[in-house]
Amino acid sequence: MGGDGRGGGLRPVLLWSGIGVLLVATFLAALGAVQRTYYSPEGFVSAYVGALAAHDLPTALAMPGAAPTKQALSGAGLPTDASAELLRSDLLPRYSGARIVSDTATGGGRTVTVRVLADGHPVTASFELRQTGAILGLLPTWEFARTPVGVARITVAHAQTFTVGGHTLNPRAAAPAQPASAFTVSAGYLVPAPSLYRLGHSDTYTQAAAVALQPSPGRTVEATVDAQPNAHFTTAVQKELDGFLDQCAKQQVLQPAGCPFGVVIDDRVQGAPTWTMKTYPPVRLAAGDSAWTMPSTGGVVHLSVTVQSIFDGSIEHRESDEKFTVSLTSVVIRPDDSLDIVVGE
């Protein structure tokens, strides 16, 4: 009976010891899971990307080291006067399939690379992190060593505005020092990474193909929205040019003043010569340094005139097609959408 008593007392001790080991193992496993999820470099970056995916930009930028302060921008070598107009949650793309590609030690910190689908298109971004401490000496805390926000230098060629996500922005408002007559405008904008922006332009007379912009954390990327004439613009300029040539043709002289056509006749003109436009020069607009232009283009005008020979006094009625060329040295779109056109020769 004594032997049975000793064995009976040992079993509870072993049982409680096993439970203790199990609890410790469970705690350590839970601690490891918490560390991987919330206190690892991968977890830190995943939390940031998760906030972007929830279209909660304020939460993402509230993470340690994320805010694009002047100090953070200067430290990253970025311009400190970039506009915050694109720092809007409603401009963020739809995110899916985010995954950590790599986590490597670099210069006393960590570089974590994430890949995500933004509006269905793969984008990749690498973030520099550094450890700031540890909770209870076990759970490391992190911050962005370089802000995850970059700068997009957006240039609008041959127009004044660009569109993104249903919004229209004017680089002149973000960088007002640009000349009022500038044919091309540009400005820097703060943009979070990873993300994807589609830039475009459309107005009464011009349109640009969509441009994809992918920001890079703590770096500057360039994008150009290239506005080109639409059919309405070409038609409007053609109408103005045709009207100008029609007015020239109404002048009943051999060399209409200020016009691209005319002839010299040595004989004596009888009566008034008449001009009739036969072929109008087709308008093809091209971007110049400060305005739209049209290179020298040919047309044909018909001349009807009666002349008397100085040599023998004979009278002859002449009908001739006269070729000429005309150019447009400047076509400017005024704020009210009227056109200011300067005709060359």
Side-chain angles (χ1 to χ4, degrees):
M1 293 181 61
D4 292 340
R6 288 192 298 273
L10 183 59
R11 280 194 294 272
V13 172
L14 293 175
L15 178 61
W16 285 109
S17 297
I19 293 174
V21 170
L22 181 61
L23 289 175
V24 171
T26 301
F27 171 76
L28 292 175
L31 182 64
V34 169
Q35 182 175 359
R36 288 191 300 273
T37 303
Y38 300 103
Y39 295 95
S40 67
E42 300 98 319
F44 183 84
V45 171
S46 294
Y48 165 77
V49 175
L52 293 182
H55 284 197
D56 188 356
L57 189 57
T59 294
L61 297 184
M63 294 186 66
T69 62
K70 288 187 179 296
Q71 182 179 0
L73 294 172
S74 178
L78 296 173
T80 59
D81 59 350
S83 170
E85 289 181 274
L86 294 185
L87 286 180
R88 302 171 52 122
S89 295
D90 61 337
L91 294 181
L92 292 172
R94 298 183 305 275
Y95 293 90
S96 62
R99 64 182 181 87
I100 301 299
V101 175
S102 64
D103 175 10
T104 57
T106 53
R110 311 288 298 187
T111 297
V112 179
T113 300
V114 64
R115 181 183 183 275
V116 65
L117 295 179
D119 287 338
H121 297 274
V123 295
T124 302
S126 295
F127 302 95
E128 298 177 16
L129 310 180
R130 60 173 165 247
Q131 187 175 346
T132 58
I135 298 175
L136 301 177
L138 298 173
L139 301 174
T141 55
W142 302 89
E143 71 174 0
F144 289 104
R146 180 192 292 260
T147 175
V149 175
V151 170
R153 187 74 186 178
I154 299 175
T155 298
V156 182
H158 324 131
Q160 300 295 309
T161 62
F162 69 94
T163 58
V164 56
H167 300 274
T168 299
L169 286 80
N170 187 335
R172 193 184 299 281
Q178 299 173 86
S181 60
F183 192 38
T184 293
V185 292
S186 64
Y189 295 87
L190 298 173
V191 280
S195 56
L196 178 68
Y197 296 87
R198 295 198 176 278
L199 314 178
H201 169 81
S202 180
D203 62 24
T204 303
Y205 293 120
T206 62
Q207 187 167 358
V211 177
L213 170 66
Q214 294 187 25
S216 181
R219 289 175 172 78
T220 298
V221 296
E222 303 278 346
T224 298
V225 178
D226 187 7
Q228 293 296 316
N230 59 23
H232 179 61
F233 192 13
T234 302
T235 299
V237 175
Q238 185 75 64
K239 181 179 179 181
E240 293 287 335
L241 177 59
D242 293 355
F244 167 76
L245 295 174
D246 288 340
Q247 290 300 314
C248 285
K250 289 181 180 180
Q251 298 185 42
Q252 294 183 322
V253 293
L254 292 179
Q255 296 184 7
C259 297
F261 54 80
V263 297
V264 175
I265 296 178
D266 294 330
D267 292 325
R268 185 177 294 109
V269 175
Q270 296 286 320
T274 59
W275 297 95
T276 306
M277 286 302 304
K278 190 169 183 179
T279 303
Y280 293 95
V283 169
R284 295 182 179 86
L285 295 172
D289 293 334
S290 59
W292 295 102
T293 64
M294 186 185 81
S296 184
T297 305
V300 179
V301 64
H302 184 79
L303 172 64
S304 179
V305 62
T306 301
V307 296
Q308 183 180 25
S309 173
I310 297 176
F311 177 71
D312 60 11
S314 61
I315 297 176
E316 177 187 8
H317 185 75
R318 298 183 185 178
E319 299 282 344
S320 62
D321 288 340
E322 304 293 338
K323 294 181 179 180
F324 68 94
T325 60
V326 64
S327 65
L328 303 180
T329 58
S330 174
V331 180
V332 175
I333 304 171
R334 299 190 184 100
D336 63 356
D337 277 348
S338 61
L339 301 176
D340 182 8
I341 300 176
V342 178
V343 180
E345 295 182 356

mmCIF file of all heavy atoms in Angstrom, residues 14 56 69 73 108 111 232:
data_model
loop_
_atom_site.group_PDB
_atom_site.id
_atom_site.type_symbol
_atom_site.label_atom_id
_atom_site.label_comp_id
_atom_site.label_asym_id
_atom_site.label_seq_id
_atom_site.Cartn_x
_atom_site.Cartn_y
_atom_site.Cartn_z
ATOM 1 N N LEU A 14 3.723 14.993 -12.179
ATOM 2 C CA LEU A 14 4.044 14.861 -13.597
ATOM 3 C C LEU A 14 2.997 15.532 -14.473
ATOM 4 O O LEU A 14 3.289 16.156 -15.510
ATOM 5 C CB LEU A 14 4.178 13.382 -13.968
ATOM 6 C CG LEU A 14 5.372 12.654 -13.339
ATOM 7 C CD1 LEU A 14 5.323 11.166 -13.686
ATOM 8 C CD2 LEU A 14 6.687 13.267 -13.820
ATOM 9 N N ASP A 56 -7.193 53.840 -46.148
ATOM 10 C CA ASP A 56 -7.063 54.634 -44.927
ATOM 11 C C ASP A 56 -5.667 55.247 -44.915
ATOM 12 O O ASP A 56 -4.777 54.819 -44.169
ATOM 13 C CB ASP A 56 -7.283 53.741 -43.709
ATOM 14 C CG ASP A 56 -7.350 54.541 -42.414
ATOM 15 O OD1 ASP A 56 -7.151 55.771 -42.468
ATOM 16 O OD2 ASP A 56 -7.590 53.936 -41.349
ATOM 17 N N THR A 69 7.112 64.643 -43.475
ATOM 18 C CA THR A 69 7.432 65.954 -42.911
ATOM 19 C C THR A 69 8.576 66.589 -43.706
ATOM 20 O O THR A 69 9.277 65.904 -44.463
ATOM 21 C CB THR A 69 7.849 65.816 -41.447
ATOM 22 O OG1 THR A 69 9.047 65.013 -41.380
ATOM 23 C CG2 THR A 69 6.758 65.134 -40.624
ATOM 24 N N LEU A 73 11.419 64.541 -45.686
ATOM 25 C CA LEU A 73 11.645 64.744 -47.111
ATOM 26 C C LEU A 73 13.074 65.212 -47.370
ATOM 27 O O LEU A 73 13.744 64.729 -48.288
ATOM 28 C CB LEU A 73 10.645 65.761 -47.666
ATOM 29 C CG LEU A 73 9.167 65.327 -47.658
ATOM 30 C CD1 LEU A 73 8.266 66.501 -48.041
ATOM 31 C CD2 LEU A 73 8.936 64.155 -48.595
ATOM 32 N N GLY A 108 22.623 48.081 -40.877
ATOM 33 C CA GLY A 108 22.117 48.211 -39.523
ATOM 34 C C GLY A 108 20.605 48.230 -39.434
ATOM 35 O O GLY A 108 20.051 48.339 -38.330
ATOM 36 N N THR A 111 15.645 45.989 -45.092
ATOM 37 C CA THR A 111 14.963 46.406 -46.316
ATOM 38 C C THR A 111 13.927 45.347 -46.659
ATOM 39 O O THR A 111 14.268 44.184 -46.866
ATOM 40 C CB THR A 111 15.943 46.578 -47.493
ATOM 41 O OG1 THR A 111 16.861 47.618 -47.192
ATOM 42 C CG2 THR A 111 15.187 46.948 -48.771
ATOM 43 N N HIS A 232 -11.476 68.464 -83.071
ATOM 44 C CA HIS A 232 -12.187 69.739 -82.942
ATOM 45 C C HIS A 232 -11.223 70.918 -83.065
ATOM 46 O O HIS A 232 -11.548 71.953 -83.674
ATOM 47 C CB HIS A 232 -12.916 69.787 -81.606
ATOM 48 C CG HIS A 232 -13.668 71.060 -81.363
ATOM 49 N ND1 HIS A 232 -14.695 71.487 -82.179
ATOM 50 C CD2 HIS A 232 -13.522 72.019 -80.406
ATOM 51 C CE1 HIS A 232 -15.169 72.644 -81.733
ATOM 52 N NE2 HIS A 232 -14.457 72.995 -80.667
#
